[in-house]
Amino acid sequence: MTNIILLGPPGAGKGTQARKLVEERGMVQLSTGDMLREAKTSGTEMGKRVAEVMDRGQLVTDEIVNGLIEEKLKTAGGNGFIFDGFPRTLPQADALGKLLAKIGSKLDAVIEMRVDDEALVRRITGRFTCGNCGEVYHDETKPTKVPGTCDVCGSHDLKRRADDNEDSLKTRLMEYYKKTSPLIGYYYATGDLFTVDGLAEIDDVARQMSAILDQQAS
Ligand code: AP5
């Protein structure tokens, strides 16, 4: 069982690679972004507050996201966890270490996905996802085979995220550089950091990740 963090700026390809690892290795994807988008649609007061913060591109409080992860770790099982978009701050990184220890587990690798800002803007502004199965597409690099129809489940419910616009993206990038990128130094110091070239093609990035996972498992 291998537990990994996918660390990278918005649009680095964390969700895309996490879905491949789930399919190929039976790992469990824990995406705080997906959990918060679910909370947004709940209609609760907390959901409304989360929606405002996310749509502006800012980070939700550590308390809320740590609580979401704690709940999932209690119930989810599988061949290791993929933390996608979590941790995003140093207090979240500390909380994750403690939560894993509590369930008798530990972190095996932190994979930094390196992509330059220019490519991130192109990726975010061209992204759309299937509202039914969550498959991630892109207008240019990964269009659906049949326009308007999801390749995986056949749904026509293809949508764009409310925070995938240039204004929110600027804030999301600032939040990343201010609050999340210090985690690269933190995990380098703990000896858990690996880096992949996130600018490579999707299958090539997946191969780089597999090599790291195989090395950690051996
Ligand atoms: P979240 O949902 O985590 O968004 P994000 O980190 O901004 O990352 P994205 O989902 O935008 O990108 P990705 O790296 O998954 O890229 P993808 O694979 O889709 O968070 C959203 C918000 O929730 C945050 O702003 C914050 O408000 C809140 N939040 C979440 N977690 C939080 C936390 N821990 N603490 C506090 N707040 C939190 O790929 C992007 C596009 O590129 C797709 O179109 C894809 O097809 C394409 N693509 C992917 N890989 C490649 C490739 N190799 N080559 C070409 N195209 C590619």
Side-chain angles (χ1 to χ4, degrees):
M1 224 176 89
T2 309
N3 298 320
I4 62 166
I5 293 173
L6 298 185
L7 183 62
K14 304 180 293 292
T16 300
Q17 295 299 328
R19 289 178 65 82
K20 283 174 97 62
L21 290 169
V22 169
E23 201 178 298
E24 289 161 15
R25 292 181 181 249
M27 295 174 79
V28 175
Q29 177 187 11
L30 295 182
S31 157
T32 39
D34 287 348
M35 292 173 207
L36 290 166
R37 276 183 286 282
E38 211 178 297
K40 255 174 91 169
T41 58
S42 66
T44 61
E45 266 315 303
M46 192 268 257
K48 283 182 204 153
R49 283 205 308 278
V50 162
E52 279 169 27
V53 174
M54 282 180 87
D55 291 354
R56 279 202 302 269
Q58 291 169 333
L59 293 190
V60 173
T61 64
D62 291 338
E63 196 190 356
I64 291 179
V65 286
N66 290 345
L68 289 171
I69 289 288
E70 184 168 15
E71 279 310 303
K72 291 283 176 186
L73 287 181
K74 277 185 201 154
T75 52
N79 194 22
F81 295 112
I82 307 159
F83 296 97
D84 163 9
F86 178 89
R88 261 176 152 98
T89 62
L90 289 165
Q92 289 181 22
D94 276 344
L96 177 61
K98 287 180 189 141
L99 290 172
L100 284 172
K102 222 171 163 180
I103 58 166
S105 196
K106 65 173 181 50
L107 196 58
D108 295 290
V110 177
I111 305 182
E112 180 206 353
M113 304 181 69
R114 213 172 270 176
V115 178
D116 64 50
D117 286 358
E118 217 177 291
L120 296 175
V121 176
R122 279 198 307 276
R123 286 189 185 180
I124 291 287
T125 49
R127 169 171 55 188
F128 58 99
T129 50
C130 173
N132 182 47
C133 73
E135 187 67 5
V136 185
Y137 295 97
H138 189 277
D139 293 326
E140 284 152 29
T141 57
K142 195 185 164 196
T144 53
K145 291 188 183 106
V146 178
T149 306
C150 176
D151 296 352
V152 177
C153 70
S155 166
H156 301 299
D157 182 20
L158 301 176
K159 42 184 164 198
R160 294 186 195 265
R161 272 169 42 179
D163 58 345
D164 276 355
N165 57 72
E166 290 208 27
D167 270 355
S168 298
L169 180 57
K170 269 188 208 145
T171 310
R172 285 159 68 194
L173 281 172
M174 286 298 286
E175 292 281 77
Y176 177 78
Y177 290 119
K178 272 197 291 193
K179 298 173 184 167
T180 308
S181 64
L183 294 182
I184 296 169
Y186 174 90
Y187 285 119
Y188 174 77
T190 61
D192 294 313
L193 189 73
F194 296 83
T195 302
V196 296
D197 172 14
L199 276 174
E201 286 187 8
I202 292 173
D203 287 342
D204 187 17
V205 179
R207 274 190 290 274
Q208 296 177 55
M209 296 225 171
S210 278
I212 294 167
L213 285 170
D214 291 343
Q215 183 191 327
Q216 288 309 94
S218 64

